[in-house]
């Protein structure tokens, strides 16, 4: 009972302008409030933050003169901290946070698959070279190669479209690749990224 | 027979905030003043 009275006296002194009263109130109840928050969030840094926010709210309410629960200081502060703990979990549910200090590193599964600037330029050059090489091929071979590689048609479909047998289409494809390799070797063209 | 571990961790009981946090709160309290104007309340932080 004495404790409750003392709290209420300290609160009223603080409202009247005695700053030391707040220090005494914090000193008296810090362990209980801090332990309560920690028992819910199980993280020292978050506990520290919520403890601080709790007392910022207490200070603002007392200074504004909105406090009207004389004699129930500790339950009131505990309720504020409890609400802030709930806010913390709500916020984390909306925006889950992954910290990187455990065994699991989130960046090991979230890699940037985009090419960097240099590789993009090389890719464009390779594609241009291949296009020019394909253009150099005889028309019948070029036609089969484009249908097979770029339009993804089967040799049966190619033979139907071009009006030749499957074997002829296969042969043209084979010669197209041989001719491409020949030109690449002859001019020492590097087609790798 | 099942074992019930009902003992709470002693670590939790002895915990208290950092000195810096308390010092911040006391300084914040000193710096904060609330000005009443008609029906409105203004918070000012004088640091």
């Amino acid at each position: 009972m004495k404790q409750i009275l003392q709290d209420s006296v300290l609160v009223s002194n603080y409202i009247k302008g005695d700053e030391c009263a707040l220090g005494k109130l914090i000193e008296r109840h810090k362990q209980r409030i801090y332990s309560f928050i920690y028992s819910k969030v199980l993280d020292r840094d978050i506990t520290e933050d919520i403890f601080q926010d709790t007392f910022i709210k207490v200070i603002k309410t007392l200074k504004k003169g909105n406090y009207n629960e004389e004699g129930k200081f500790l339950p009131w502060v505990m309720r504020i901290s409890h609400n802030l703990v709930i806010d913390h979990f709500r916020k984390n549910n909306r925006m889950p946070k992954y910290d990187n200090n455990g065994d699991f590193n989130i960046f090991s599964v979230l890699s940037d698959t985009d090419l960097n600037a240099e590789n993009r330029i090389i890719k464009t050059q390779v594609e241009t070279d291949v296009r020019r090489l394909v253009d150099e091929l005889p028309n019948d071979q070029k036609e089969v190669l484009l249908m097979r590689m770029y339009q993804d048609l089967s040799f049966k479909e190619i033979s139907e479209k071009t009006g030749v047998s499957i074997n002829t289409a296969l042969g043209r494809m084979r010669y197209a690749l041989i001719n491409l390799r020949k030109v690449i070797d002859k001019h020492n063209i590097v087609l790798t990224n | 027979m099942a074992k019930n571990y009902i003992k709470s961790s002693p670590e939790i009981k002895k915990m208290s905030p950092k000195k810096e946090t308390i010092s911040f709160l006391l300084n914040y309290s000193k710096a904060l003043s609330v000005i009443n104007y008609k029906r409105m309340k203004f918070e000012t932080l004088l640091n």
Side-chain angles (χ1 to χ4, degrees):
Chain A
M1 192 68 195
K2 197 182 171 191
Q3 171 93 0
I4 294 166
L5 279 173
Q6 277 181 347
D7 275 357
S8 62
V9 171
L10 287 170
V11 168
S12 79
N13 286 350
Y14 177 67
I15 292 169
K16 284 173 196 160
D18 178 10
E19 290 291 335
C20 296
L22 179 74
K24 285 175 194 162
L25 283 168
I26 293 176
E27 202 55 42
R28 187 177 291 170
H29 300 299
K30 65 178 183 186
Q31 210 168 305
R32 243 177 117 177
I33 296 161
Y34 192 89
S35 304
F36 166 73
I37 299 167
Y38 185 80
S39 71
K40 304 288 175 214
V41 299
L42 300 172
D43 182 294
R44 290 297 290 251
D45 293 331
I46 296 167
T47 306
E48 209 76 38
D49 283 350
I50 295 177
F51 181 87
Q52 189 172 296
D53 289 346
T54 303
F55 273 95
I56 286 176
K57 224 163 192 174
V58 167
I59 291 165
K60 279 186 180 173
T61 311
L62 293 177
K63 290 230 171 184
K64 282 181 182 173
N66 293 340
Y67 178 72
N68 56 6
E69 295 185 51
E70 268 190 77
K72 295 175 191 167
F73 179 75
L74 182 62
W76 174 60
V77 181
M78 292 290 255
R79 203 160 57 240
I80 293 174
S81 60
H82 181 249
N83 289 341
L84 289 173
V85 168
I86 292 171
D87 286 351
H88 161 75
F89 282 115
R90 275 194 193 138
K91 196 167 70 188
N92 263 21
N93 274 347
R94 275 200 302 271
M95 288 187 291
K97 193 184 89 187
Y98 296 99
D99 48 2
N100 249 342
N101 51 17
D103 296 333
F104 175 70
N105 185 348
I106 190 71
F107 292 107
S108 65
V109 287
L110 284 177
S111 59
D112 182 9
T113 51
D114 276 2
L115 295 170
N116 61 23
E118 190 189 353
N119 287 339
R120 255 200 319 269
I121 293 168
I122 295 172
K123 187 170 180 272
T124 317
Q125 284 174 349
V126 169
E127 283 168 359
T128 314
D129 287 346
V130 171
R131 204 169 297 130
R132 279 168 53 201
L133 289 169
V134 171
D135 274 342
E136 294 295 315
L137 289 171
N139 276 339
D140 53 350
Q141 293 172 20
K142 186 164 79 180
E143 188 184 41
V144 175
L145 186 130
L146 291 177
M147 283 180 180
R148 180 74 195 115
M149 302 312 290
Y150 294 96
Q151 296 169 23
D152 209 21
L153 299 180
S154 68
F155 282 105
K156 189 167 179 268
E157 289 165 323
I158 294 170
S159 73
E160 283 164 6
K161 278 201 164 191
T162 54
V164 295
S165 69
I166 293 178
N167 275 340
T168 310
L170 280 164
R172 285 179 182 173
M173 182 71 191
R174 185 169 168 267
Y175 279 112
L177 295 176
I178 290 170
N179 284 331
L180 281 177
R181 281 195 194 108
K182 264 188 200 164
V183 180
I184 289 165
D185 284 345
K186 193 177 167 190
H187 298 285
N188 286 327
I189 301 167
V190 180
L191 294 173
T192 48
N193 194 348
Chain B
M1 188 161 160
K3 285 181 181 174
N4 291 321
Y5 298 93
I6 51 166
K7 234 183 185 179
S8 59
S9 160
E11 194 205 355
I12 292 176
K13 278 182 184 169
K14 285 177 188 168
M15 292 175 89
S16 52
K18 288 180 194 162
K19 278 180 186 167
E20 293 90 334
T21 308
I22 293 171
S23 153
F24 166 81
L25 287 167
L26 296 176
N27 288 330
Y28 175 81
S29 167
K30 282 174 196 162
L32 180 75
S33 64
V34 177
I35 299 158
N36 289 306
Y37 178 74
K38 292 183 181 174
R39 281 185 180 178
M40 292 175 283
K41 282 173 182 169
F42 298 96
E43 289 173 18
T44 48
L45 266 178
L46 307 164
N47 263 326

